[in-house]
Amino acid sequence: MTENSNIEAAGMSASTQPSSPPSSVRKNRLAVWDHFDVENAIEKKAKCKYCGSLIQYGNGTSSMGGHLRRCKQNPNNDSNKRRKMTTTPTIDERGVLNSPSASKFDQEEARRALVEMFIGEELPFRFVESPKFRKFVHALQARFKVPSRTTLARDIGALYAEEKMKLQDFLSTNCGRVCLTTDTWTSIQNFTYMSLTAHFVDLDWKLHKKILNFCQVTSHSGEVIGATIESCLNNWNLNRVFSVTVDNASSNDVAIKYLKQRLNSCKTQNL
């Protein structure tokens, strides 16, 4: 019940709310908008008044509420106030935590660290419900409410949407032309996958490498590969492609030809 209350306070999407939410929930939703300005009403993007980050609000205000709890520029963020009062712990080269003064417990900060651990270590979601894992966490900090795997998956999705928005904003302001590399392969389960990576130089002449997509495709055919790359570029609002690097598979000739036609068509329409 505590987990659900925390999520409602941040603002759940309409699809998961009752038909007539309590007045306190509606007030919390409206309170979130005190910290954001509408940046793009068509794409449903809101801009944080403190750090300028763009947050998607198409499915409700939960992502906005989560950003407010983590925003380092938010003066009303309780975790930021506590950071100023305590010394920030550091980790040395051996991975040992050094904390001159004991920092106060923060549920949201600990939950964020849990999400980052599951992403970084590629742990299965069901591991969070393991009795031994929960016993270990309870021994470390009894006040931490371990989320369910469903809540964990939702938190990871919200973090992905937030980071994707930041990367889109960075690309729009720092990326002139982009160089792409792509590859496809078949797993031992006979599923075909494709990855797409962008390489570009920013305004400070620093080279960047960003993975734009990793997805399953229906086949290795050139048209499928080309259409998948085109869909990914549209999703990231990228149309200024400088080069595409592929392997020597014959299907890639068809994919490159398809991309040339589509990109040239887009360029003509924009003139």
Side-chain angles (χ1 to χ4, degrees), residues 108-176:
E108 294 302 326
E109 187 174 349
R111 187 163 148 181
R112 169 74 174 229
L114 179 72
V115 169
E116 292 177 351
M117 181 190 73
F118 269 76
I119 295 174
E121 300 300 325
E122 300 180 1
L123 297 174
F125 293 166
R126 66 176 181 273
F127 183 72
V128 77
E129 296 180 347
S130 166
K132 291 184 178 180
F133 174 75
R134 289 178 175 258
K135 181 179 179 181
F136 171 70
V137 172
H138 182 78
L140 292 177
Q141 177 52 262
R143 289 183 292 169
F144 179 62
K145 305 299 188 296
V146 182
S148 66
R149 57 181 172 181
T150 303
T151 301
L152 176 67
R154 185 163 55 245
D155 285 352
I156 291 176
L159 178 59
Y160 169 79
E162 180 181 334
E163 293 299 321
K164 180 179 179 181
M165 193 72 65
K166 291 180 182 178
L167 182 55
Q168 281 181 323
D169 185 52
F170 180 79
L171 289 173
S172 64
T173 56
N174 290 272
C175 179

Side-chain angles (χ1 to χ4, degrees), residues 160-202:
Y160 169 79
E162 180 181 334
E163 293 299 321
K164 180 179 179 181
M165 193 72 65
K166 291 180 182 178
L167 182 55
Q168 281 181 323
D169 185 52
F170 180 79
L171 289 173
S172 64
T173 56
N174 290 272
C175 179
R177 290 183 177 273
V178 62
C179 298
L180 304 174
T181 58
T182 184
D183 191 21
T184 57
W185 66 94
T186 303
S187 68
I188 58 175
Q189 295 87 5
N190 205 32
F191 294 133
T192 302
Y193 295 92
M194 190 195 81
S195 65
L196 184 67
T197 306
H199 310 261
F200 62 94
V201 177
D202 65 15

Side-chain angles (χ1 to χ4, degrees), residues 67-84:
H67 171 77
L68 280 179
R69 294 192 300 270
R70 295 186 290 267
C71 181
K72 295 181 180 180
Q73 305 298 325
N74 181 4
N76 304 310
N77 194 328
D78 291 337
S79 61
N80 290 338
K81 294 178 181 178
R82 285 192 286 270
R83 286 194 191 100
K84 296 179 180 179

Side-chain angles (χ1 to χ4, degrees), residues 7 16 23 33 57 59 63 81 88 91 110 118 126 132 136 140 188 200 208 227 232 234 265:
I7 296 176
T16 58
S23 59
W33 280 105
Y57 63 88
N59 295 323
S63 297
K81 294 178 181 178
T88 304
I91 299 177
F118 269 76
R126 66 176 181 273
K132 291 184 178 180
F136 171 70
L140 292 177
I188 58 175
F200 62 94
H208 293 268
C232 180
N234 292 335
S265 175

Side-chain angles (χ1 to χ4, degrees), residues 170-268:
F170 180 79
L171 289 173
S172 64
T173 56
N174 290 272
C175 179
R177 290 183 177 273
V178 62
C179 298
L180 304 174
T181 58
T182 184
D183 191 21
T184 57
W185 66 94
T186 303
S187 68
I188 58 175
Q189 295 87 5
N190 205 32
F191 294 133
T192 302
Y193 295 92
M194 190 195 81
S195 65
L196 184 67
T197 306
H199 310 261
F200 62 94
V201 177
D202 65 15
L203 300 178
D204 295 323
W205 290 94
K206 293 181 180 180
L207 179 63
H208 293 268
K209 173 185 176 183
K210 303 293 183 181
I211 297 176
L212 300 181
N213 198 16
F214 181 93
C215 63
Q216 185 177 348
V217 293
T218 55
S219 70
H220 284 276
S221 70
E223 289 187 355
V224 170
I225 295 173
T228 304
I229 295 176
E230 179 192 14
S231 176
C232 180
L233 292 176
N234 292 335
N235 190 27
W236 285 95
N237 296 322
L238 291 174
N239 53 19
R240 301 183 65 186
V241 178
F242 185 74
S243 67
V244 182
T245 302
V246 296
D247 57 26
N248 59 356
S250 58
S251 59
N252 286 326
D253 295 335
V254 179
I256 296 300
K257 183 178 180 181
Y258 174 91
L259 281 175
K260 281 184 177 180
Q261 292 176 345
R262 300 298 295 176
L263 291 173
N264 289 333
S265 175
C266 291
K267 187 183 299 183
T268 302

Side-chain angles (χ1 to χ4, degrees), residues 8 12-14 16-27 29:
E8 287 182 355
M12 294 177 64
S13 62
T16 58
Q17 287 289 329
S19 58
S20 180
S23 59
S24 60
V25 175
R26 292 195 294 269
K27 290 179 180 178
R29 289 177 179 171

